[in-house]
Amino acid sequence: MKAILMCLVASLYFQGNNGTTYLPDNVSVPAIIALGDSLLDSGNNNYIKTLTKANFPPYGKDFVGGKPTGRFTNGKTLGDFLAKGLGVKEYLPAYLDPHIKDTDLLTGVSFASGGTGYDPLTSTLATVIPISVQLEMFKQYISKIKKKVGEEAANNTINNSVFFFSSSSNDFLTNYYVFPFRRLEYDVQRYGNKLVKIAADYIREIHKLGARRIVVFSAPPFGCIPIERTLAGGLNRQCVDKYNKAAQMFNNMLKQEIQILASSLPETKVVLADLYNPLMSIIENPRQYGLEVIDKGCCGTGKIENSYLCNKLSKMCRNESKYLFWDSLHPTEKGCDIFISLILPDLVKNLF
Ligand SMILES: *[C@@H]1O[C@H](CO)[C@@H](O)[C@H](O)[C@H]1NC(C)=O
Ligand SMILES: *[C@@H]1O[C@H](CO)[C@@H](O)[C@H](O)[C@H]1NC(C)=O
Ligand SMILES: *[C@@H]1O[C@H](CO)[C@@H](O)[C@H](O)[C@H]1NC(C)=O
Ligand SMILES: *[C@@H]1O[C@H](CO)[C@@H](O)[C@H](O)[C@H]1NC(C)=O
């Protein structure tokens, strides 16, 4: 009886909150800024030449008006849930969207680009926006908001905003495991270390540009991503242990680096957001979170299809709210919601 009750409480608690605000009353966040890869891309790739896109059906099926926006999921991304969860706004727009308004800029945008990584080779291979260029776009953004509200107000906005970095999966997957480019040069430890050093440089750079609250997502258990199960998980499509070990090794190094940064950058919070353990917990106990399918995406067979291979000809699953993954690489809106409800309370404690 007790066990059943505990389960019931857990499932009521963990089914996601569809975007509750988690901020304490005495704090307000003027804007959020997202950099990195597809987990935070709100449609920047629509405006560049690349094959890494999501601006056609069935992407966006559950977004406002059932509209594909370039978000790599059926509805809201992690970035949208973060904007809502920090009390800023419902949706985080893409910086490159030509229809973007000044009010959108002042409350934050996403510079992220699906397919990118910390390693410049990753974005080159995928022909997407490198993080170095995302930082250049952020500089341009600063001058735009300075023109709009004046330097002091712009400084205050930047100074009190929350910055999110999401990267590293594409580095390991595109560049190291699936194609061996970096594997020929580095063992996995040294490659992980190289990525951590690049991440640290980007954090120092954004700090120089005024950021004082910086959140860095760890690597997820990318060995459990449906397409990796298909490519390297054997006949039973198991999680790829070697990949998950690489993710954990990278995360340990990233954690240490972030502790060093957090203690060396004055008046600045640099916080690691753990993507690994919460996602692993969902994958190991999906029913506890109200989910049923965690080893394939909703789109097509769920085992291979993403970007252009997931399209209006793909046969869709019956109910994507029971799936952790939307396509073979990216979480569903439901998955994002559950994940944010798991991490945001602690994140808020560590940031403010
Ligand atoms: C908000 O309130 C909490 C608890 O009362 C306090 O610890 C914290 O320092 C306050 N934060 C700010 C920014 O005033
Ligand atoms: C705004 O921030 C920049 C860089 O941090 C600084 O040089 C400048 O003096 C600040 N301006 C105002 C008006 O506070
Ligand atoms: C920036 O924000 C932090 C935290 O809110 C505050 O301690 C600091 O004084 C601010 N600095 C400037 C230059 O506004
Ligand atoms: C889909 O699943 C969700 C979550 O379990 C449930 O609330 C919803 O009613 C289902 N929708 C349909 C059409 O079955």
Side-chain angles (χ1 to χ4, degrees):
M1 183 62 193
K2 200 170 164 205
I4 294 172
L5 264 179
M6 299 261 296
C7 243
L8 200 69
V9 170
S11 76
L12 286 177
Y13 183 70
F14 284 123
Q15 282 190 11
N17 281 314
N18 201 23
T20 312
T21 293
Y22 293 85
L23 278 187
D25 292 342
N26 58 351
V27 172
S28 92
V29 175
I32 87 166
I33 299 291
L35 301 115
D37 61 17
S38 56
L39 286 181
L40 296 172
D41 188 349
S42 307
N44 287 310
N45 280 11
N46 301 355
Y47 308 102
I48 61 169
K49 281 207 178 95
T50 176
L51 291 175
T52 309
K53 290 204 191 234
N55 55 345
F56 39 80
Y59 289 98
K61 163 185 164 301
D62 301 304
F63 201 74
V64 194
K67 213 177 58 175
T69 58
R71 286 168 171 80
F72 288 78
T73 183
N74 58 308
K76 292 191 264 182
T77 62
L78 290 185
D80 297 316
F81 281 109
L82 288 166
K84 179 70 187 274
L86 294 177
V88 180
K89 55 184 168 184
E90 289 287 327
Y91 306 102
L92 187 66
Y95 179 67
L96 293 183
D97 180 347
H99 302 297
I100 201 161
K101 300 188 196 79
D102 287 340
T103 48
D104 295 324
L105 291 181
L106 291 169
T107 48
V109 290
S110 168
F111 298 95
S113 172
T116 210
Y118 287 125
D119 184 345
L121 180 60
T122 307
S123 48
T124 303
L125 291 172
T127 61
V128 294
I129 310 169
I131 297 181
S132 56
V133 174
Q134 296 180 25
L135 286 168
E136 289 305 312
M137 286 154 59
F138 175 62
K139 286 184 199 162
Q140 190 187 56
Y141 164 93
I142 297 176
S143 38
K144 281 187 186 168
I145 66 167
K146 279 185 177 166
K147 273 204 196 104
K148 189 70 201 163
V149 296
E151 181 165 299
E152 196 179 344
N155 276 6
N156 269 327
T157 295
I158 310 273
N159 181 43
N160 288 299
S161 294
V162 184
F163 291 74
F164 292 90
F165 278 97
S166 153
S167 263
S168 73
S169 300
N170 295 317
D171 296 311
F172 281 104
L173 295 175
T174 318
N175 231 338
Y176 196 88
Y177 284 123
V178 179
F179 300 105
F181 303 106
R182 291 303 193 197
R183 202 162 9 117
L184 300 171
E185 286 172 78
Y186 298 94
D187 65 29
V188 69
Q189 182 95 24
R190 283 180 54 231
Y191 189 54
N193 190 53
K194 173 186 163 85
L195 296 177
V196 165
K197 295 300 173 204
I198 298 174
D201 286 342
Y202 287 137
I203 293 166
R204 277 188 283 266
E205 198 169 332
I206 204 106
H207 172 265
K208 265 195 214 132
L209 295 170
R212 295 294 177 267
R213 290 194 174 95
I214 304 164
V215 179
V216 184
F217 281 108
S218 77
F222 48 68
C224 298
I225 291 176
I227 195 166
E228 304 310 326
R229 289 178 184 259
T230 307
L231 296 176
L235 280 180
N236 294 326
R237 301 183 63 254
Q238 308 278 1
C239 292
V240 188
D241 200 40
K242 185 166 75 171
Y243 295 6
N244 283 350
K245 288 217 165 76
Q248 284 175 303
M249 182 265 312
F250 169 79
N251 288 345
N252 286 333
M253 292 194 288
L254 184 64
K255 190 175 180 180
Q256 286 173 22
E257 189 72 32
I258 283 179
Q259 277 164 1
I260 295 169
L261 284 166
S263 58
S264 65
L265 298 175
E267 286 183 50
T268 302
K269 302 269 175 133
V270 191
V271 175
L272 183 70
D274 181 13
L275 261 175
Y276 193 98
N277 292 297
L279 278 179
M280 211 55 197
S281 168
I282 297 172
I283 287 165
E284 283 167 355
N285 314 290
R287 283 175 194 278
Q288 192 187 321
Y289 300 92
L291 296 175
E292 286 173 11
V293 184
I294 47 83
D295 64 346
K296 48 187 187 163
C298 171
C299 187
T301 64
K303 297 174 184 173
I304 289 287
E305 298 89 336
N306 68 78
S307 190
Y308 282 112
L309 293 179
C310 167
N311 55 52
K312 64 175 196 253
L313 300 177
S314 306
K315 186 176 182 313
M316 302 306 293
C317 69
R318 275 247 214 86
N319 188 346
E320 62 288 319
S321 297
K322 299 194 182 302
Y323 280 65
L324 174 58
F325 290 96
W326 167 247
D327 62 15
S328 65
L329 278 175
H330 303 104
T332 53
E333 172 179 286
K334 186 72 183 176
C336 292
D337 188 8
I338 294 170
F339 171 72
I340 292 296
S341 71
L342 288 175
I343 66 152
L344 209 46
D346 271 347
L347 205 55
V348 161
K349 268 189 224 142
N350 293 330
L351 275 175
F352 301 100

